[in-house]
Amino acid sequence: MNAGELITKYKQGFRDFSTADLSRENFGGASLSEIILLQACLVEVNFSGANLNEANLTRADLTAANFFRANLSQVLLVAANLQGATMVKADLQGAKMGQANLRETDLTGANLNSADLNGADLSGANLSGTFLLDANLEGANLTEAFLKGANLDGARLQGACLRGANLEGASFSDAKLNHGDLTEADAKNANFYGANLTEALLIRVELAGANLSHAILSHANLQDADLNGAFLTEAILGQAMLDGANLTKTNFYKASLNGANLLRANLSGANLNGTDLTEASLYAVESASD
């Protein structure tokens, strides 16, 4: 079957094209809302500008497909293979993409608000400037993903892996990152206001200039992290590991560091006014300036 034949059948009222092989066909600008392409072979297919609203692409092979500016709102892409696909500025609002393979996919500027990406593999994906408000990324793999300037306010990232990811300038306000792994991520100037980072791994993470005010970092591991000039106003860091962390000029105003480990930490110029340091380990700390 080719693109022309499918479009003709679609216009006649047919919707189910499951398991069809349409590799490298051109559906640019086509209107195919509610189409069913379950387990279809759609390798390198061109869907740029197409309307696939509420389509079912579950377990479809969409390797290197082109969805530039396509409408994929409310689409089903559960366990689909989208490795290397182009989804720049695509509308994926409310899409179901659990367990999907999105490795090295380009999602620059895409709208993924309220999308379900539970357990999806986004390692190496480009999500710069992407909108992921209230998205579900629980257990997702975002290793070395590029999220510079992305908006993940209110997103659920419990247990997600963001090791080595570029999060510079990204926003995670009120996001849930508890038990997440952000080891060696670059989160300079990122916004984590009110985020939950309980028991998160933040080892050697770059957080210079980041906003972590009102964030919850209880039992988080920030060993050797760089928080130079970061804001942790009224943040909760009970039992947090800050051994060897760079806390130069960090603002801890009214923060709770109850029982935190600050061994080898550099607190030069840090603001500790109103900070709770009850039972904190401060041996060999480079003290804050007067």
Side-chain angles (χ1 to χ4, degrees):
M1 181 182 295
N2 59 36
E5 292 170 342
L6 183 144
I7 290 171
T8 297
K9 286 182 174 293
Y10 180 89
K11 289 179 177 178
Q12 292 171 349
F14 292 95
R15 293 292 180 270
D16 194 346
F17 300 91
S18 296
T19 72
D21 186 350
L22 295 154
S23 296
R24 301 173 185 81
E25 291 293 326
N26 184 6
F27 292 95
S31 181
L32 299 166
S33 61
E34 299 182 3
I35 193 170
I36 300 171
L37 288 160
L38 185 71
Q39 292 183 295
C41 184
L42 302 163
V43 175
E44 296 182 10
V45 168
N46 178 26
F47 285 111
S48 60
N51 179 12
L52 291 155
N53 177 52
E54 297 186 1
N56 187 344
L57 294 155
T58 300
R59 293 192 298 279
D61 186 354
L62 291 148
T63 304
N66 182 2
F67 289 99
F68 177 69
R69 289 188 181 275
N71 179 3
L72 292 153
S73 57
Q74 307 298 326
V75 73
L76 289 177
L77 282 161
V78 177
N81 184 3
L82 289 144
Q83 184 165 348
T86 298
M87 307 186 88
V88 176
K89 296 185 178 179
D91 184 357
L92 288 145
Q93 187 167 241
K96 306 297 183 186
M97 305 171 77
Q99 308 301 319
N101 178 8
L102 291 148
R103 297 184 66 182
E104 300 176 356
T105 298
D106 190 351
L107 287 146
T108 304
N111 180 359
L112 285 149
N113 291 341
S114 301
D116 184 356
L117 290 144
N118 179 42
D121 186 354
L122 289 143
S123 53
N126 188 347
L127 293 140
S128 58
T130 298
F131 296 91
L132 287 148
L133 281 76
D134 299 315
N136 180 7
L137 288 149
E138 292 184 37
N141 182 4
L142 289 145
T143 302
E144 296 184 356
F146 193 77
L147 288 136
K148 187 173 182 178
N151 190 334
L152 294 101
D153 291 350
R156 303 192 297 282
L157 293 122
Q158 295 98 320
C161 182
L162 293 105
R163 293 178 67 96
N166 187 329
L167 312 173
E168 188 175 352
S171 184
F172 294 86
S173 182
D174 295 318
K176 295 178 176 62
L177 289 144
N178 35 312
H179 303 285
D181 186 353
L182 287 83
T183 299
E184 297 182 346
D186 181 357
K188 291 190 292 289
N189 300 311
N191 177 26
F192 291 93
Y193 183 94
N196 187 343
L197 289 145
T198 302
E199 296 186 8
L201 292 178
L202 295 148
I203 301 167
R204 295 184 296 279
V205 69
E206 294 280 347
L207 284 161
N211 182 8
L212 291 133
S213 297
H214 295 272
I216 303 172
L217 292 131
S218 301
H219 299 276
N221 189 338
L222 291 126
Q223 188 170 12
D224 296 319
D226 183 4
L227 290 110
N228 179 23
F231 297 87
L232 287 107
T233 303
E234 297 187 53
I236 299 172
L237 295 109
Q239 305 295 320
M241 169 64 76
L242 289 151
D243 180 34
N246 179 11
L247 305 172
T248 306
K249 297 181 180 179
T250 301
N251 189 347
F252 285 107
Y253 179 69
K254 288 189 176 180
S256 173
L257 287 155
N258 193 321
N261 184 340
L262 291 153
L263 299 178
R264 299 187 306 110
N266 184 352
L267 282 156
S268 300
N271 180 2
L272 296 169
N273 290 328
T275 303
D276 181 4
L277 290 161
T278 306
E279 297 184 1
S281 300
L282 294 160
Y283 180 75
V285 170
E286 292 188 41
S287 62
S289 59
D290 295 332

